[in-house]
Amino acid sequence: MKNEPTPANRDVSPATVNLDELNEAQYQAVTTTEGPVLVIAGAGSGKTRTLVYRVAHLMQQGVAPENILLLTFTRKASQEMLWRAGRLLNDSCNRVVGGTFHGTANMLLRRYGSCLGFGSNFTIIDRADAEGIINLLKTSLGLSGGSKQFPSKRALINMISGAVNKSMEIDDLVYQHYAHLSEFLDDILSLQKHYRDFKFDNGLMDYDDLLVNWKRLLQESPEVRKAISDRYSHIMVDEYQDTNLIQADIVRLTAFTHENVMVVGDDSQSIYSFRGADFFNIMRFPKIFTNTRIIKLEENYRSTQPILSFTNDIIRNAAEKYTKTLFSKTEGGHRPLLFAGRDERDEARFVVKKIRQLRQSGIEIEEIAVLFRSGFHSYKLELELGAEGLDFEKRGGLKLTESAHMKDVLSYMRVLTNPGDTLSWHRILLQIDKVGPKTAQKITAVITGSGDPFQALAEYAAGKTWQEGFARLTGLFEDLRDKGYSPAELYDNVLAYYQPIFEQLFADDHPKRQKDLDQLKSIMAGYQDLQSFIDDTALDPPETDQHIPRGQRERLILSTIHSAKGLEFEAVFVIGLAEGRFPHAAAVQGEGWEEERRLLYVAATRAKKHLYLCYPKELMTPDRQFKRVGMSPFLAELAPDYYERLAEEGGGRQDYAYVPVAPQVQAPVHREKKQQLALTDFAKGSRVIHPFFGEGTVTRLSAPRSLDVIFDRHGLKTLHLDYAKLTIL
C-alpha cells in the first residue's frame, strides 16, 4: 500500500478537494485508495460524507469516473452521493457508475446476458408478478383447490426466494423453517423448476435472478469476469452489513484483478436477516480479503452524548462485534427517559402528551417519530392519536407501482419493451369486457408464440361478445408502435384507452386512485426512453408520497424500526419495550437474539436530542388474558446511570414526573452493597441463575466485576455483577 500524507502535511490547493474538512478517521478512509479497506461506521458518524469525499479524491488522483463502481442499497442514495461529489469536484462525477446491486446487475446483464442465453430485452418482475406466476403454475399443475392444504402463493415465493438469498437448497430451507409443509416438498421442488423455466421462456427475471445471474456471469465466463473487473478498478460498497452471501461473492469476484475494495457498514446495525442479509459478511471480510485495513468512524454528528452513552451500553453485551465507542463533541443533552405504563393505553397517552410538549417547545411534528418492533404494536397509539386529532403517517405500505391500477398501466409499457411478456399480456387482455382467464390465456399463448406478437394480436379472430373491446386494444397498439412517442406521450395515449376501464374496475374509489396515475405521468415525463423507465420502476419503485418534501408533510411518523433505519429525528419514542415483545418471543437464542439487540440499537440511534423508551406493564395474550410483564431484558441489563425513569403522579392521565436518581458520579441509588456478590464468589464452571436468562454456567471471570455465562436457553452473555442480579445455585 502506498504511503499517504499525514494530516499535518496535507497539500490542499484551490484546485483540490479540501480534505481538511474530514476528521482523522474519515481522512484515512478517503485516502487509503489501494487494497481492501473495511470502514466500521458507527451510527451518525458521517459515512456518506466519507464515501462522497472518496469518490472525489479518487478522481483527483487520476482515476477515471467510469472506473469507479459505487454500490448502495437505494438508487436515491447513490444519486445523492454523486451529486455531492460533483459539488466538491466537477460534473464528471456523473459518469461514476453508481446504483444498487440490482440496478448494476440489470445494466451488466443487458450487456453480457447473451453469455447465459438471455436476450437484452428481458422484463424485471416484482413480488406481486412472481406470486401471480406461481398462482398460474399451481393451477396448471393441479396443485390448488380441493382438500389439499397446499402452501399459499406468498409462502411459496418466500421459500423460493429465501433459498436463493440464504444460499440454501430449498429442501434444507423447508425442513429448517417450514417443517409443517415438508409433506409437499416434491411438489414444491416441481413448482420451483416450472417457475424457473417459465421466467426463462418468457424473458422474465425477478429480483433474485438479477443477483444470481450477475454472479453466474462472473463465475461462468472468465472473459466477462476479467472485463468487468478491469473496468471497475475501484469498488465501494455502502451498508455492507446488509449484504447477502450472493452479494458478498459478487464483490469478491468483481475485484479479483485488483482487490481495491472499500466496504462501509456497521455490524451493530445488521437487522435484515429476514431478507437474507448475512451478519457474518462484515465480520469475515478481513479473512476473505487478506491485508484488509480496518478503520473505525466513532465520532457521531447526530446525537447528544447522553444518548450515545446509552446506545454504547446497548451494544456492549453483543456476543460478536467490532468494538467501538461512539462519542460526540457536542456538549449538553438529556439522558434517555424510561416510562412504564400501566397498560398499552397508558403508554399511548404518555406518548401523546409528550409529543404535545415537544411541539410546544418548537420541534416540528415531522421531526418526531414513534418506532416499534412490529406493525400491530402501534394500534393503541393510533387510536389515541386519532382521538387527540394528531395527524400521522405510518410507514410500510405499498410502493406506488405495486397497486393494481398502476400495474395495469405499466403492463402496456412493458409489452412495448418486451412483446414476449406473457404476464403483462394476460393482465391487459383480462381488462377487456367479456374476456375471462381461459380466453386471455389462449390469446396470450397464440400471440407470444408467434414471431410478431403485435401482428398476431391484430390478426386474431375475436369473439362476438368482446369484438369491440378487442378492436380498441389492437388499435391502441397500432398507434403506440408507429408514432415514435416519448414516454410521457405513451402515457397519455395509454390513459386515454385505460381511463374508462379504470373507472369501471375501481368504481368505489377511482377518484382517490387517480392521483397515483397523475403522479405516474409526472415521473414518466422525466425519461427519454421507455426501457429506462420500466427498469427504474421495477428496481426502485417510488413511494406514494415521495413527491411531498419532508418539511411540508406536517405529520408525525409512526414506523417499524426496520423501515426507520437510515433516518434521523429530533425526538424518538420507542414503544413496546416489554419482556416477550422486544425481543420478539421467537428470538430465544443465538443470532436471532443478537439481531433483536441490534434492532434496539438502531432505534435508539435515530434520536438527535430526545429519546423516550416506553413499555406497558400489562399485555393482553392471544387468548385475551391480561399478563403482567417486565421491561425488555435488553433494558434490564443496562447500567441505570445511562437513563432516567419517569413515573405517574396521582394516577391522573396527564401527570408524569421524573423519578430522582443519583448523579452519574455516584452509585445508582437502588444498589445495596450488602447484597452484592464479589467476583471471588464465582468460579469457572459454577452454575448460576438469572431472573430472565434462566440457568447457566460461568465460563470466564473478568476483573473487576464482569463474567461470561453460557445460559442453557439464551447462549453466551457477558454480565456485570452490579446489574446482573445473579444467584449462585
Side-chain angles (χ1 to χ4, degrees), residues 327-626:
F327 68 94
S328 172
K329 293 180 180 177
T330 304
E331 296 182 359
H334 304 286
R335 282 184 286 174
L337 301 176
L338 175 66
F339 174 75
R342 293 184 298 275
D343 51 25
E344 287 184 272
R345 188 179 184 189
D346 193 41
E347 178 189 39
R349 286 172 170 171
F350 166 78
V351 171
V352 170
K353 178 180 185 296
K354 286 300 177 184
I355 288 171
R356 289 200 177 279
Q357 291 178 355
L358 289 168
R359 294 188 70 188
Q360 290 169 3
S361 72
I363 297 177
E364 298 294 334
I365 189 69
E366 65 266 23
E367 287 295 337
I368 305 172
V370 183
L371 308 181
F372 31 84
R373 173 64 183 80
S374 301
F376 70 91
H377 292 171
S378 68
Y379 288 167
K380 287 287 193 299
L381 176 61
E382 291 173 43
L383 293 174
E384 195 70 20
L385 289 169
E388 293 289 329
L390 284 172
D391 196 13
F392 63 88
E393 170 189 339
K394 189 170 182 179
R395 298 285 172 88
L398 285 174
K399 299 287 187 180
L400 178 66
T401 52
E402 290 176 343
S403 49
H405 55 295
M406 299 295 276
K407 293 181 78 66
D408 283 349
V409 174
L410 289 173
S411 62
Y412 297 92
M413 312 300 176
R414 283 167 48 161
V415 296
L416 289 171
T417 59
N418 177 13
D421 183 350
T422 57
L423 202 64
S424 293
W425 276 121
H426 194 261
R427 188 179 196 98
I428 290 168
L429 291 163
L430 281 175
Q431 294 168 20
I432 300 174
D433 190 29
K434 307 299 184 183
V435 171
K438 289 185 178 179
T439 302
Q441 194 168 359
K442 180 181 177 182
I443 301 170
T444 298
V446 170
I447 63 176
T448 57
S450 68
D452 183 344
F454 294 107
Q455 183 64 32
L457 180 75
E459 296 174 352
Y460 194 89
K464 289 183 179 180
T465 58
W466 43 273
Q467 192 171 34
E468 183 179 346
F470 191 76
R472 287 186 65 233
L473 178 65
T474 58
L476 170 68
F477 280 113
E478 182 179 349
D479 182 55
L480 294 180
R481 295 183 68 216
D482 295 340
K483 301 293 177 60
Y485 290 130
S486 67
E489 291 168 333
L490 286 172
Y491 170 87
D492 288 337
N493 282 273
V494 167
L495 195 67
Y497 168 85
Y498 177 68
Q499 189 72 38
I501 298 172
F502 164 69
E503 293 179 5
Q504 181 180 358
L505 289 175
F506 305 100
D508 293 338
D509 63 348
H510 72 81
K512 180 180 177 181
R513 293 174 182 255
Q514 185 69 46
K515 66 179 182 179
D516 294 340
L517 298 177
D518 295 340
Q519 186 179 346
L520 182 63
K521 180 178 181 178
S522 66
I523 293 171
M524 290 187 71
Y527 285 85
Q528 297 300 313
D529 69 283
L530 188 60
Q531 186 67 65
S532 297
F533 164 74
I534 293 295
D535 290 348
D536 286 350
T537 54
L539 293 169
D540 193 17
E543 302 284 354
T544 54
D545 64 346
Q546 74 171 25
H547 62 296
I548 306 174
R550 180 172 177 175
Q552 298 177 17
R553 295 181 182 181
E554 298 183 351
R555 286 176 289 179
L556 173 73
I557 300 299
L558 306 186
S559 176
T560 63
I561 300 169
H562 287 100
S563 295
K565 185 176 177 293
L567 303 178
E568 58 184 39
F569 303 90
E570 289 291 310
V572 169
F573 295 80
V574 188
I575 64 173
L577 288 170
E579 178 185 359
R581 174 166 284 188
F582 202 133
H584 189 276
V588 294
Q589 61 183 352
E591 179 53 24
W593 180 272
E594 291 301 317
E595 182 162 319
E596 293 286 303
R597 183 199 308 280
R598 297 193 294 268
L599 198 60
L600 177 58
Y601 176 85
V602 167
T605 53
R606 301 309 94 200
K608 294 180 181 180
K609 295 180 181 178
H610 304 274
L611 176 61
Y612 298 87
L613 308 146
C614 312
Y615 71 95
K617 292 186 287 187
E618 184 177 78
L619 287 173
M620 181 180 287
T621 62
D623 58 356
R624 303 190 67 79
Q625 300 296 313
F626 288 100

Side-chain angles (χ1 to χ4, degrees), residues 148-197:
K148 193 172 187 179
Q149 298 299 308
F150 198 67
S152 67
K153 61 183 180 181
R154 175 172 295 183
L156 289 163
I157 284 295
N158 285 343
M159 286 182 247
I160 293 170
S161 181
V164 173
N165 282 287
K166 295 178 183 295
S167 296
M168 298 174 65
E169 294 297 327
I170 196 167
D171 47 355
D172 292 333
L173 182 84
V174 169
Y175 284 125
Q176 286 186 30
H177 301 286
Y178 301 89
H180 60 294
L181 300 175
S182 58
E183 64 177 296
F184 302 115
L185 182 57
D186 288 343
D187 289 335
I188 293 170
L189 289 168
S190 174
L191 196 58
Q192 180 193 36
K193 178 183 181 302
H194 281 86
Y195 175 60
R196 184 170 55 242
D197 293 344

Side-chain angles (χ1 to χ4, degrees), residues 2 16-17 33-34 54-68 89-90 92 95 233-234:
K2 67 181 183 181
T16 64
V17 178
T33 57
E34 304 301 313
R54 183 179 170 92
V55 169
H57 179 70
L58 283 170
M59 293 175 58
Q60 192 77 57
Q61 298 299 304
V63 179
E66 295 84 358
N67 297 139
I68 301 172
L89 198 59
N90 54 54
S92 61
R95 304 205 308 272
S233 63
H234 289 79

Side-chain angles (χ1 to χ4, degrees), residues 9 17 95 117 122 136 166 183 202 204 257 273 307 474 507 548 614 653:
N9 298 320
V17 178
R95 304 205 308 272
F122 59 83
L136 288 173
K166 295 178 183 295
E183 64 177 296
N202 291 280
L204 307 175
T257 62
S273 64
I307 291 175
T474 58
I548 306 174
C614 312
R653 63 171 283 179

